[in-house]
């Protein structure tokens, strides 16, 4: 139930240590929060990507009633825009049990979030929610996530349920000498980033800097893992997994084109699903995709997977005119020339340049 006087404030980043600790406890035990709602992730956005960040907290005499993490990007192409949250898949308002998304706390957080963005010259604020909420805001639904329920502690049950095509392709990868595993140690992030950056270069998109993944691994600890697939001993693909509660998300995954015919990507994802079950997860989150795209179709081929639209609520401007409306994807004609040029860059140059450009993107 709602009641009492609500105070909304932006935490003082260096001084409010007790508040930060309270937020960590609030978010880590919350079924509607993501790993990215943790203040330590905003530390990484600020320290590695150079983004301005904020964290709104609503509280009353009984404690925290809701939170809203914020980050501001400034781009010569898109202008200034605020997002909750950029770079990652999820963000938005999270409320304490008993609070309503059409109630006082949610309205106060959205109002103050919009004011935070306007004071910094942002064109709008986008809230990346995972489910529809009665926030009385316009929303876009350009992206969808794909979710696969997982049986508790039983990878064999999942193997039987995923369908004959995925099973046959996983077997094919093994016949081709491919193996998948968790990769630990100091070289793990570098191995992942080599594959990830080359794959994004081939797609015409800039890659996040290696320091982003190193810092995220440091703050998330055992909830963050690097996975690789090798074929006859050669690195063919790699992925990042993030565990939060019962959700096992794969926000970044890539395989090299030379190994697609060997179904290395299928073996990598089957390994990820096995690892998710062993980690105690109940939902495998493939991450967001554009409906109808190749990655979207890849995710839905696993029997039992279902698509879930992602409502991105926009504060301060109609979505069609918002800074995040332009999507830097290979099928966007507005950026066709830039994408074609990026695809011709040598991978080492693309890795360095991508680390600069990604801080400007939605």
């Amino acid at each position: 139930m709602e009641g009492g006087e609500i105070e909304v404030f932006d935490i003082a980043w260096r001084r409010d240590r007790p508040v930060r600790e309270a937020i960590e406890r609030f978010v880590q035990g919350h079924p509607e929060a993501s790993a990215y709602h943790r203040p330590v992730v905003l530390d990484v956005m600020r320290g590695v990507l150079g983004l301005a960040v904020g964290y709104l907290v609503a509280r009353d005499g009984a404690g925290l009633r809701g939170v809203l993490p914020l980050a501001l990007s400034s781009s010569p192409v898109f202008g200034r825009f605020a997002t909750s949250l950029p770079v990652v898949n999820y963000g938005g308002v999270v409320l304490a049990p008993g609070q309503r998304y059409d109630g006082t706390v949610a309205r106060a957080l959205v109002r103050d979030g919009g004011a935070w963005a306007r004071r910094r010259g942002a064109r709008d604020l986008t809230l990346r929610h995972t489910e529809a909420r009665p926030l009385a805001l316009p929303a876009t639904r350009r992206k969808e996530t794909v979710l696969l329920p997982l049986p508790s502690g039983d990878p064999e049950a999942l193997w039987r349920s995923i369908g004959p095509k995925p099973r046959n392709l996983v077997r094919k990868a093994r016949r081709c000498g491919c193996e998948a595993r968790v990769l630990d140690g100091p070289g793990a992030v570098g191995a992942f980033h080599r594959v990830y950056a080359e794959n994004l270069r081939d797609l015409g998109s800039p890659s996040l800097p290696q320091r982003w993944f190193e810092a995220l691994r440091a703050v998330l600890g055992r909830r963050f893992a690097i996975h690789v697939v090798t074929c006859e001993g050669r690195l063919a693909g790699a992925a990042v997994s993030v565990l939060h509660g019962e959700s096992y998300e794969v926000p970044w995954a890539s395989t090299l084109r030379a190994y697609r015919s060997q179904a290395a990507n299928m073996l990598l994802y089957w390994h990820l699903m096995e690892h998710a079950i062993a980690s105690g997860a109940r939902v495998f989150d493939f991450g967001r995709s554009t409906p109808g795209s190749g990655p979207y179709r890849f995710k839905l081929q696993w029997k039992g997977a279902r698509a879930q639209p992602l409502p991105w609520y926009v504060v301060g401007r109609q979505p069609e005119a918002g800074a995040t409306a332009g999507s830097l994807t290979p099928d966007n004609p507005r950026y066709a020339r830039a994408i074609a040029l990026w695809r011709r860059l040598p991978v080492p140059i693309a890795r360095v340049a991508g680390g600069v450009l990604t801080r400007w993107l939605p």
Side-chain angles (χ1 to χ4, degrees):
M1 296 179 61
E2 299 198 14
E5 185 175 349
I6 298 296
E7 174 193 18
V8 177
F9 63 97
D10 187 2
I11 67 172
W13 215 250
R14 296 184 183 277
R15 298 193 303 273
D16 285 348
R17 182 62 55 183
V19 178
R20 283 176 58 112
E21 292 173 354
I23 295 170
E24 288 283 351
R25 292 191 298 271
F26 178 85
V27 168
Q28 290 198 49
H30 202 298
E32 296 177 4
S34 70
Y36 314 116
H37 282 86
R38 297 179 59 188
V40 290
V41 175
L42 272 74
D43 288 338
V44 177
M45 290 184 177
R46 185 179 66 164
V48 174
L49 302 181
L51 304 182
V53 299
Y55 207 110
L56 299 187
V57 175
R59 68 180 177 186
D60 59 17
L64 296 188
R65 289 292 172 258
V67 298
L68 175 59
L70 301 162
L72 179 76
S73 303
S74 182
S75 162
V77 177
F78 296 103
R80 287 193 170 195
F81 54 92
T83 312
S84 179
L85 286 162
V87 180
V88 296
N89 288 330
Y90 308 124
V93 174
V94 174
L95 300 179
Q99 302 296 318
R100 296 166 52 94
Y101 281 89
D102 58 355
T104 303
V105 174
R107 288 197 299 268
L109 286 168
V110 169
R111 178 199 65 215
D112 286 21
W116 184 94
R118 288 192 299 274
R119 286 196 301 271
R120 289 157 179 81
R123 297 174 59 183
D124 55 35
L125 165 63
T126 300
L127 309 177
R128 292 183 171 178
H129 278 256
T130 58
E131 297 181 14
R133 302 295 184 193
L135 292 172
L137 293 169
T140 68
R141 288 175 172 81
R142 296 186 181 91
K143 300 292 184 179
E144 296 184 3
T145 192
V146 176
L147 305 175
L148 177 67
L150 298 174
S152 178
D154 190 357
E156 286 302 317
L158 182 63
W159 177 255
R160 293 190 297 269
S161 71
I162 58 175
K165 180 181 177 182
R167 287 196 299 267
N168 289 337
L169 289 172
V170 170
R171 293 185 184 112
K172 176 183 178 180
R174 287 171 172 160
R175 289 195 302 270
C176 291
C178 299
E179 299 177 344
R181 67 185 190 278
V182 175
L183 188 63
D184 293 318
V189 174
F192 160 78
H193 198 265
R194 287 194 298 274
V195 175
Y196 159 77
E198 181 173 340
N199 186 55
L200 262 67
R201 189 283 311 266
D202 291 344
L203 294 172
S205 297
S207 54
L208 288 159
Q210 183 172 323
R211 290 190 304 121
W212 161 262
F213 298 100
E214 291 169 344
L216 205 59
R217 183 190 194 191
V219 299
L220 295 182
R222 290 181 297 175
R223 299 171 186 268
F224 178 104
I226 298 287
H227 309 258
V228 296
V229 58
T230 59
C231 294
E232 296 184 339
R234 296 183 178 180
L235 186 62
V240 167
S241 67
V242 174
L243 179 67
H244 183 79
E246 295 186 337
S247 175
Y248 185 99
E249 182 197 3
V250 183
W252 299 281
S254 294
T255 52
L256 299 177
R257 288 185 175 182
Y259 297 96
R260 301 280 170 83
S261 63
Q262 299 176 38
N265 54 347
M266 297 297 291
L267 179 59
L268 177 61
Y269 269 82
W270 172 246
H271 156 79
L272 287 162
M273 292 172 191
E274 288 185 303
H275 188 260
I277 292 173
S279 301
R282 298 307 305 273
V283 176
F284 187 90
D285 185 344
F286 285 88
R288 75 173 189 252
S289 297
T290 302
S293 66
Y296 183 79
R297 293 191 297 271
F298 170 85
K299 296 168 184 179
L300 286 177
Q301 71 181 312
W302 301 84
K303 189 175 179 181
R306 60 178 177 84
Q308 177 174 300
L310 295 174
W312 289 3
Y313 295 99
V314 181
V315 182
R317 185 182 289 260
Q318 289 297 315
E320 290 74 17
T324 60
S327 178
L328 191 60
T329 58
D331 58 354
N332 190 326
R334 181 177 178 183
Y335 307 114
R337 181 174 295 181
I339 288 168
L341 176 63
W342 194 268
R343 285 171 167 163
R344 293 197 293 269
L345 289 177
V347 173
I349 294 176
R351 290 181 73 179
V352 174
V356 175
L357 293 178
T358 47
R359 70 183 61 186
W360 296 344
L361 302 180

